[in-house]
Amino acid sequence: STGGTLIRQAVKEAKPVFSATSEDARRRVLNLYRAWFRQLPYIIREYDVPLTLPMCRRKLRENFEKYRQVNDIRVIDLLVAKGQMELVETAHMWKQKTHVMDYFKQTVSPKPTDFLGKFFDGKEP
Amino acid sequence: MLGICRTKASLTLQRLAKLNSFRALSSLGFTVMPKFALPSSNKHISTLSGISQHAIQRCSQWRCYASASSAGLSQDKITERVMTVIKLFEKISAEKLTIESHFMKELGLDSLDHVELLMAIEDEFGFEIPDQDAEKLNKPSDIIKYLCEKMEDRQYVCM
């Protein structure tokens, strides 16, 4: 034997949250997308938000694309669970108009480029 | 455990769809329609519930029209409807579209686009496509074949 000491690796497998395989998780994600997609026209009508259906669909797609890179099945399951909770709250009208409009809120304010903008922001020239 | 998200969301949808009458038809599901569309069952229903024959006849005519069984669900008709739905989908360019073009590889759709497309087809034909079948429908020809089979199962003629 060439080897020195064998390193015994304790292989620990994490307990699944909902889905056992990535196929399972994929199905949950697609079902959540389907459910939200079908609910959008009712959301617009019931909350009377100043939004159009294409805007809402784009926002829905954007929110799903945000987590496109996630590969860990347990993380996917938790994200799906949170999305499902949001859907239930929105569909039952437990939210208000402002909560629905929050999905469209700009969280990143654009950096000022001109002198006055920078001055107001407190940046020294 | 598998369908927790789906069943909860679909229950919600069904409840809401019943409140919103213009979607009431789709929430009924395909299985309700054939019972009323067959004329032989009408007499049975009317004797049980005491509804007038006239009302049942009118009811069944309405259902027949809605289920489009009299319009004839031939392979050509299905092909036409499916291709129209796919052409109306903005993310697909009409030049590349043929019956054998693969959605993901040739037309450049991703899985969410595929889901949207299948939902448009579900809305057009009036019944839900389950997930296991939805995964396999990657070309328009697959969809047409699948729909023909489903229509046959539900006792409609597919020539």
Side-chain angles (χ1 to χ4, degrees):
Chain A
S1 65
T2 54
T5 47
L6 281 167
I7 304 167
R8 202 181 303 149
Q9 282 176 338
V11 176
K12 288 188 187 153
E13 269 206 34
K15 199 167 62 162
V17 176
F18 288 126
S19 20
T21 61
S22 63
E23 263 306 304
D24 224 344
R26 185 169 180 271
R27 236 172 245 180
R28 278 173 207 278
V29 171
L30 295 180
N31 281 332
L32 183 67
Y33 186 80
R34 233 185 284 250
W36 266 110
F37 195 87
R38 290 235 156 89
Q39 193 59 28
L40 287 177
Y42 301 102
I43 293 172
I44 297 173
R45 194 148 48 98
E46 285 164 359
Y47 286 94
D48 190 27
V49 282
L51 300 167
T52 58
L53 197 54
M55 274 177 81
C56 291
R57 286 190 178 158
R58 236 178 292 139
K59 179 56 68 169
L60 172 66
R61 179 61 75 99
E62 193 187 304
N63 287 342
F64 269 76
E65 293 284 343
K66 213 184 349 171
Y67 300 110
R68 185 179 262 268
Q69 314 305 329
V70 176
N71 282 321
D72 187 355
I73 299 175
R74 290 160 51 90
V75 175
I76 294 174
D77 280 342
L78 286 172
L79 289 168
V80 165
K82 292 186 83 171
Q84 172 67 8
M85 287 192 269
E86 293 282 313
L87 175 62
V88 169
E89 286 167 20
T90 314
H92 279 118
M93 293 281 299
W94 295 339
K95 292 195 181 198
Q96 280 102 33
K97 197 194 278 199
T98 68
H99 299 117
V100 174
M101 291 307 290
D102 271 345
Y103 287 117
F104 293 83
K105 187 179 173 191
Q106 302 280 67
T107 50
V108 181
S109 50
K111 268 198 188 142
T113 43
D114 59 337
F115 173 77
L116 263 183
K118 287 189 202 161
F119 182 76
F120 293 139
D121 256 10
K123 295 263 187 312
E124 299 298 313
Chain B
M1 264 267 253
L2 192 87
I4 280 179
C5 293
R6 174 107 194 234
T7 47
K8 274 194 186 155
S10 63
L11 271 172
T12 318
L13 285 172
Q14 276 175 16
R15 215 176 298 143
L16 282 160
K18 282 191 178 96
L19 295 173
N20 301 297
S21 55
F22 74 89
R23 293 280 286 186
L25 253 183
S26 62
S27 77
L28 281 175
F30 215 51
T31 49
V32 179
M33 293 182 178
K35 205 160 108 184
F36 287 96
L38 297 169
S40 55
S41 60
N42 287 343
K43 289 180 197 146
H44 177 63
I45 292 165
S46 69
T47 49
L48 278 180
S49 55
I51 306 171
S52 73
Q53 190 67 18
H54 180 60
I56 289 288
Q57 255 180 8
R58 277 203 304 158
C59 188
S60 72
Q61 276 167 12
W62 174 70
R63 303 274 184 171
C64 270
Y65 175 77
S67 65
S69 59
S70 52
L73 295 166
S74 60
Q75 176 107 2
D76 299 323
K77 285 261 168 73
I78 292 183
T79 311
E80 206 184 292
R81 283 165 83 179
V82 167
M83 294 312 278
T84 318
V85 167
I86 298 178
K87 277 183 196 142
L88 287 171
F89 200 65
E90 309 115 11
K91 293 177 192 165
I92 297 184
S93 56
E95 306 99 37
K96 286 194 216 165
L97 178 68
T98 62
I99 296 204
E100 289 296 325
S101 49
H102 199 274
F103 290 132
M104 316 270 193
K105 295 177 196 163
E106 291 167 36
L107 298 171
L109 295 180
D110 64 355
S111 51
L112 295 177
D113 291 324
H114 185 229
V115 167
E116 282 186 33
L117 186 63
L118 285 176
M119 275 200 276
I121 290 174
E122 282 176 13
D123 289 340
E124 167 73 23
F125 287 92
F127 65 94
E128 288 250 340
I129 301 176
D131 303 326
Q132 308 99 307
D133 301 334
E135 287 165 354
K136 301 174 197 153
L137 302 174
N138 287 319
K139 301 183 205 166
S141 57
D142 293 339
I143 298 176
I144 293 163
K145 226 180 292 174
Y146 178 79
L147 285 168
C148 274
E149 286 166 28
K150 278 285 157 172
M151 300 296 189
E152 270 171 16
D153 289 343
R154 291 166 201 273
Q155 295 167 19
Y156 290 113
V157 179
C158 180
M159 290 169 275

